[in-house]
Amino acid sequence: MARGDEHEHEHEHGASCLLESILTDTSAPLARRAWLAGAVELRLLARLAAPAVVVYMINFVMSMSTQILCGHLGTLELAAASLGNCGVQTFAFGLMLGMGSAVETLCGQAYGAHKYDMLGIYLQRSVILLGLTGIPLAVMYAFSEPLLLLMGQSPEIARAASIFVYGLIPQIFAYAVNFPIQKFLQAQSIVLPSAYISTATLILHVMLSWVLMYKVGLGLLGASLVLSVSWWIIVGAQFVYIVVSPTCRHTWTGFSWQAFSGLPSFFKLSAASAVMLCLETWYFQVLVIIAGLLPNPEIALDSLSVCMTIYGWVFMISVGFNAAASVRVSNELGAGNPKSAFFSVWVVTGLSATISTILAVVILCLRNHISYLFTDGEAVSDAVADLCPLLAITLVLGGIQPVLTGVAVGCGWQQFVAYVNVGSYYIVGVPLGVVLGFFFNLGAKGIWGGLIGGTALQTAILLWVTIRTDWSKEVEEAQKRLNKWDEKKQPLLAGFNDNDK
């Protein structure tokens, strides 16, 4: 198995060199070059994207299964778990995942340039920063009851939700280790082990949850504690893989004091990454809150939540392609292959957009029936059917936008994308949703129209920037970061500055 893994990675490096040689061979006809390069790129993408989609899907299902099991305890427990999962936990998840994407940029470029020893340093540096970030989050979790009361929740729900949230405190620090490890492995195109580990953990998670909640009688606290334990099992198994597997012997050489150097610079990129992702996550939550202020909020909220749940499931596919795009682009830039980086961008964007468009057409065909998966209400079904054309447009945009964000992460443009998100989502999208929903009396359709407006603007800007990108210059920027490390023994991050994009 070990030899197989090493052979696989040698094959990937060979495939990357082959791709660049195909694209630079001007003696061959353009159509033949595109066909051969497409076959190589699709093979590389399939190995990255498919397991990544499985990992994100299973992580999503793990939280959902806890919520479903809590629902069988009672309506109060369901409300508490929903609030803990979708409110408090989503905030921590987005923040930690966003900060972890700094590792994706740096490890991807270092791996592409064969600077393997730096990957382990970046992994440790990210874990330190995310662990420190986890401390204020843990304090927030500890004071969740007064915070929920301050937000207007009923005392009964706030008390029950706080019990659930207390059990999620260990999960914060599991996130702090998991996301850097995940990005460290993805940068090396090692995705299958995480998929196997997540699948096995999900089965164990459901069994443990059932025992602790129903047999031992720990209820909500038992449910959240099992969720925390499950995340630590994933972390432990992945770390054991890194230490034991010969595949990582060049990229993980043990713990190093060097991880404590360059933390301020590393924090700068991590913070930009976190802001970039959190602004997207909060955008959807803000629109749901706004929907609660509509004249008939119950139907509006129900129809929006059904559509957003469908979008959430399809979005997991796009997130897998996001990870694949980031890895492919950062690897090719680090390896000094501008044409391969350019080609990868458009292949992964086209593939993701095609899949999302097919799913959007399926959703449109089932628009009069799809809501019955969630509720029996006819009024909600009509409202969902009414929203489905807008949902279909969002799904198509959702097939392009996350991939372009992945490209931005691969190039290290996080700070630029954070500014784009602020402008697109909060200066255009949210006000547009309010105007259409309230002043033009379009209700939930108007709010969703604002969502589309913000997402479309963000996608258009990222598309324009990506089209105009000089990939040879991006390779030079990546090489500067690598050379700074070699010459001055400084972190690769030293090459990042506000003018990168």
Side-chain angles (χ1 to χ4, degrees), residues 117-326:
D117 58 322
M118 281 310 299
L119 273 76
I121 302 295
Y122 289 137
L123 166 61
Q124 293 170 64
R125 196 170 286 158
S126 185
V127 169
I128 292 165
L129 277 178
L130 267 67
L132 291 172
T133 305
I135 295 170
L137 283 175
V139 173
M140 186 187 83
Y141 275 38
F143 288 95
S144 56
E145 186 176 357
L147 286 171
L148 290 169
L149 288 170
L150 197 65
M151 290 165 63
Q153 299 295 329
S154 72
E156 196 180 11
I157 291 176
R159 178 64 190 150
S162 68
I163 292 169
F164 183 82
V165 169
Y166 294 154
L168 294 179
I169 290 174
Q171 187 194 45
I172 298 170
F173 299 97
Y175 283 164
V177 186
N178 177 74
F179 294 129
I181 284 179
Q182 206 175 63
K183 303 301 181 184
F184 167 86
L185 290 171
Q186 282 177 4
Q188 303 170 66
S189 301
I190 304 171
V191 194
L192 268 175
S194 294
Y196 293 142
I197 289 165
S198 294
T199 305
T201 306
L202 175 63
I203 296 165
L204 184 64
H205 170 78
V206 173
M207 290 165 59
L208 277 174
S209 297
W210 181 77
V211 170
L212 277 186
M213 290 169 68
Y214 295 102
K215 295 300 177 184
V216 180
L218 285 179
L220 280 172
L221 185 62
S224 54
L225 280 173
V226 172
L227 198 55
S228 292
V229 168
S230 297
W231 272 94
W232 273 110
I233 290 170
I234 290 172
V235 167
Q238 288 182 135
F239 184 67
V240 168
Y241 175 84
I242 288 170
V243 173
V244 172
S245 172
T247 317
C248 299
R249 74 175 188 272
H250 298 301
T251 53
W252 176 262
T253 54
F255 294 101
S256 171
W257 287 108
Q258 203 177 344
F260 290 92
S261 67
L263 285 175
S265 300
F266 200 94
F267 176 75
K268 187 178 177 184
L269 183 64
S270 296
S273 302
V275 170
M276 181 186 80
L277 194 73
C278 286
L279 287 173
E280 289 190 32
T281 309
W282 295 340
Y283 179 48
F284 287 87
Q285 291 176 334
V286 166
L287 290 171
V288 170
I289 291 166
I290 293 169
L293 305 174
L294 288 168
N296 189 1
E298 193 174 330
I299 297 296
L301 281 171
D302 284 349
S303 58
L304 274 175
S305 66
V306 167
C307 288
M308 284 191 173
T309 302
I310 295 164
Y311 177 75
W313 280 98
V314 176
F315 188 71
M316 289 299 118
I317 298 170
S318 300
V319 168
F321 280 105
N322 168 295
S326 177

Side-chain angles (χ1 to χ4, degrees), residues 340-373:
S340 295
F342 170 81
F343 191 74
S344 295
V345 168
W346 299 115
V347 171
V348 71
T349 304
L351 189 59
S352 181
T354 302
I355 292 171
S356 296
T357 302
I358 292 167
L359 290 171
V361 171
V362 171
I363 295 295
L364 273 178
C365 293
L366 298 173
R367 66 183 179 275
N368 293 314
H369 311 284
I370 205 155
S371 72
Y372 293 111
L373 291 170

